[in-house]
Amino acid sequence: MASSAPPHTAVRRPLDVPRPLDALHLDIGGPPTLTRVAADHLRRLGGRVRESDRASGSGSGSDSDSGEIALGGAGFAPVTARTAWGVHGSGIEDEATAQAVTGVMAVHGRRHGAPRGLGVDYLATATGVLTVQGLLAALVARARGGDGPRHVTTTADRAGLLAVSQYLAASGADEPEAVELDAGGPPFTSADGIVFELETLDPGAWADFWRALGAPDGAIRAGWRPFQFRYATACAPFAAVLHEVTRTHSLERIRQAATASGAEVCRLRTLTERATEDDGADPWSLRRLLPGVPAATRPVSPVGPLEGLTVLEAGRRIQAPLAAHLLGLLGARVIRIEPPGGDPLRGMPPACSGVSARWLALNRGKEAVEIDIKSPGDRGRLRELAADADVFLHNWAPGKAAGLRLDAEHLAAANPALVYAYTGGWADRIADAPMGTDFMVQARTGVGEAVHPCDEPPAPSLMTLLDVLGGLHGTEAVLAGLLLRERTGHGVRVDSSLLGAADTLLGPALERVRRGRAPRPPAGFRHPIRTSDGWIAPSDLCAAAASAHDLSGMCTEEALHRLRSHGLTATAVTTELSDLHHDPRLSGPIGRDAHGAPVVPDPWSLA
């Protein structure tokens, strides 16, 4: 759902810190839905925005035109970016149709048992962040003495493929999923009617929590694996009795059980609550460290704008590995720090040629070095690696880097030119914050309310929305740090977070709250229409008119012909992700890597 309202402008930023785009200017045109996030982030990075040619209007209608951004000045030749929903004539014309084609509706709908659209403009948001990445990468290449790309193209369909890449990889694996893909999952409801999210990464804590509440042992044992794998499958079909158990206890009793067991619970907050506490801070922070220049001049080649740069990544799960993966796609050499014996997620089912398909989606092409960060000797090896790197990126638990003397100040002593990047959960902006995981941040920030229309109960999406968007923010922050390093001659610390990603995603909804308007989508918003052999999704602009047609009994082709003959835009919903390999509506082909795992096209085209 788009909004032409200006973003919340209060920011928390040290006034004496230069920004990477200071003295550069921006010209923006095209539909606000596609350019809102990019314009906001470029402005926060210091760009002076000239919006005289910007298209006016609002709503969640079909934005058939592309967005255009030109960035230049201060000795930088202009770089232009074009954003679009997809290829002209593909039927991908807005957020709804982009979600339908790329499999986002299918993945988000797994917990419901049927395709379902996200109530937020997730792909437009991701496309905006990717656009900023492309522009920053081009400027980094030029600041390093190379020619660099002059034109960046991003499309929402490629952003969608990136968002579902792990789920797509699993669909093309040599073996089935480790757990059944079926409807169900959190959140839970207490006896006093309070909806809450539960989180633990420990099977012992899971069992102790449920035993304290009197759940049956069989349901406890059978429920752990679907709960554990919900990050990978976007559903958690455990026994309904677990929901029945929580409805017999007050939230206070449930909190006591969580505290005693080591699990955590978080009440689902509303968008109004989030708008009240929102401090307007930037979605990332940049802080200069010591003066320093790269150890050696590294030429920029046509292979990619980051060619010759080295990224040292110590990431787990999704957020940091995805950020480093994107830096690798831009040409950087990525060296992954793994524990002795290798990353255990390499063995996460399902596998392609013996390697986890999901792991490959985020880590293919990276080099790996095994280091025991608990060992003083190995920490010394890591410092040596950092001394020759351009970026050190991690998402360890809060305080862990400082405790190991591997924080920004420690590594800057070995490499003053380092860009030190941390992708975390809360950025120290929320008091008494719960565990900084995707679903807990969704619950705490109101995302769980925003993604569902007003006729449905709030629930965090079991698709890893914030892990992916947080990874995109991490890449964006690193690129901003690299540009700031080149322009100031200082090493830089950059911090990004899942909270920052949530605030970016929720921008229009929070602005509606501040204006006294209903923040959630209307009833039935982005609900695909059932056909005899599948589902179709009308564009947001045409949804009301499409619902007036009786499509019952029609096959998908007939239903689409009926709607299109009346001038309405609609497209078939992708329900099997494996079908994406041969979908002519997409702007780029899906390939295979050396293990046979699916490879989605790069999210930008650089020319």
Side-chain angles (χ1 to χ4, degrees):
M1 295 169 57
S3 172
S4 61
H8 191 43
T9 55
V11 295
R12 186 179 65 185
R13 182 192 302 119
L15 297 179
D16 60 342
V17 175
R19 293 175 290 174
L21 299 184
D22 280 345
L24 274 68
H25 59 260
L26 295 155
D27 291 296
I28 301 171
T33 309
L34 281 173
T35 58
R36 175 188 68 84
V37 168
D40 178 48
H41 285 201
L42 291 168
R43 182 188 299 111
R44 289 171 181 265
L45 290 170
R48 297 198 300 266
V49 182
R50 301 186 302 204
E51 298 181 288
S52 57
D53 296 329
R54 187 182 178 110
S56 61
S58 62
S60 53
S62 178
D63 289 329
S64 57
D65 296 333
S66 61
E68 305 284 346
I69 298 175
L71 173 63
F76 289 94
V79 183
T80 61
R82 177 182 180 271
T83 66
W85 292 110
V87 175
H88 182 69
S90 65
I92 304 175
E93 297 187 9
D94 72 344
E95 179 75 28
T97 50
Q99 288 188 24
V101 170
T102 59
V104 170
M105 283 189 174
V107 176
H108 171 60
R110 284 179 179 177
R111 63 106 42 79
H112 300 285
R116 194 71 60 87
L118 291 164
V120 289
D121 286 341
Y122 185 74
L123 297 187
T125 301
T127 303
V129 178
L130 289 164
T131 300
V132 175
Q133 291 175 12
L135 290 168
L136 290 173
L139 292 178
V140 169
R142 295 185 184 183
R144 295 171 57 218
D147 185 24
R150 300 188 181 188
H151 304 283
V152 178
T153 301
T154 57
T155 55
D157 69 326
R158 293 199 184 191
L161 291 178
L162 181 65
V164 303
S165 60
Q166 296 176 78
Y167 309 100
L168 173 63
S171 74
D174 301 332
E175 57 190 25
E177 291 276 9
V179 295
E180 181 182 11
L181 298 183
D182 204 355
F188 300 93
T189 305
S190 67
D192 31 8
I194 299 173
V195 181
F196 66 94
E197 185 64 72
L198 171 69
E199 183 65 281
T200 178
L201 307 179
D202 178 6
W206 163 269
D208 290 344
F209 170 79
W210 288 108
R211 288 191 185 110
L213 298 179
D217 283 343
I220 296 172
R221 288 192 299 271
W224 166 246
R225 196 164 175 82
F227 181 84
Q228 175 192 25
F229 274 88
R230 73 197 191 284
Y231 282 92
T233 61
C235 58
F238 46 69
V241 67
L242 297 183
H243 287 283
E244 296 168 6
V245 165
T246 64
R247 290 192 181 98
T248 65
H249 297 281
S250 68
L251 184 64
E252 179 58 31
R253 174 69 188 96
I254 291 167
R255 287 189 188 278
Q256 292 172 358
T259 300
S261 65
E264 292 193 33
V265 298
C266 178
R267 174 178 65 83
L268 264 64
R269 300 292 184 103
T270 66
L271 291 164
T272 299
E273 288 176 296
R274 179 64 195 141
T276 300
E277 71 176 1
D278 181 19
D279 57 5
D282 293 340
W284 12 242
S285 64
L286 292 83
R287 177 167 61 88
R288 284 191 300 179
L289 299 172
L290 300 175
V293 295
T297 300
R298 299 177 173 92
V300 182
S301 79
V303 176
L306 302 188
E307 185 72 17
L309 298 182
T310 298
V311 175
L312 194 61
E313 175 226 321
R316 355 170 253 175
R317 299 177 76 92
I318 297 173
Q319 190 182 8
L322 174 59
H325 173 67
L326 293 172
L327 294 169
L329 293 181
L330 289 167
R333 175 193 181 197
V334 181
I335 303 174
R336 181 169 167 77
I337 303 300
E338 299 189 4
D343 186 350
L345 292 182
R346 287 177 182 264
M348 183 184 201
C352 285
S353 301
V355 182
S356 169
R358 291 190 177 89
W359 189 91
L360 287 168
L362 298 176
N363 297 293
R364 69 170 56 89
K366 298 177 183 179
E367 302 172 36
V369 176
E370 293 185 12
I371 287 182
D372 181 2
I373 59 174
K374 298 177 182 178
S375 162
D378 274 13
R379 289 199 295 274
R381 287 179 57 210
L382 192 153
R383 294 187 187 96
E384 291 173 0
L385 289 170
D388 292 326
D390 296 278
V391 176
F392 177 68
L393 168 67
H394 74 91
N395 63 341
W396 294 329
K400 184 173 183 177
L404 295 172
R405 297 187 63 79
L406 295 174
D407 214 347
E409 287 69 23
H410 306 126
L411 295 190
N415 181 359
L418 188 68
V419 173
Y420 185 100
Y422 178 56
T423 60
W426 298 104
D428 296 325
R429 289 172 49 204
I430 297 289
D432 300 321
M435 192 184 305
T437 60
D438 189 309
F439 306 138
M440 293 294 264
V441 179
Q442 284 195 53
R444 179 63 178 76
T445 59
V447 172
E449 183 179 36
V451 295
H452 293 281
C454 62
D455 58 334
E456 296 179 10
S461 174
L462 290 182
M463 181 177 171
T464 51
L465 302 181
L466 297 186
D467 274 340
V468 170
L469 192 55
L472 299 188
H473 279 66
T475 306
E476 184 183 40
V478 167
L479 290 165
L482 286 168
L483 182 58
L484 187 60
R485 178 186 76 168
E486 297 299 329
R487 298 192 72 182
T488 65
H490 283 251
V492 180
R493 170 164 183 152
V494 300
D495 289 82
S496 60
S497 65
L498 300 181
L499 175 61
D503 285 344
T504 298
L505 182 62
L506 294 176
L510 297 179
E511 192 60 35
R512 288 193 293 273
V513 171
R514 297 184 187 101
R515 295 189 172 194
R517 296 166 53 193
R520 298 181 72 190
F525 186 68
R526 290 183 185 154
H527 276 211
I529 301 171
R530 190 78 167 94
T531 65
S532 64
D533 61 349
W535 301 80
I536 61 172
S539 68
D540 287 334
L541 187 64
C542 298
S547 66
H549 290 264
D550 183 6
L551 306 178
S552 58
M554 292 186 182
C555 68
T556 297
E557 185 177 351
E558 291 173 324
L560 290 174
H561 178 74
R562 164 74 70 85
L563 295 180
R564 290 168 181 168
S565 68
H566 287 80
L568 303 178
T569 299
T571 193
V573 177
T574 298
T575 55
E576 295 293 335
L577 297 187
S578 57
D579 292 342
L580 290 170
H581 286 270
H582 311 291
D583 196 319
R585 296 173 293 178
L586 299 173
S587 64
I590 295 172
R592 297 276 183 180
D593 66 12
H595 296 272
V599 179
V600 301
D602 289 359
W604 340 257
S605 295
L606 307 174

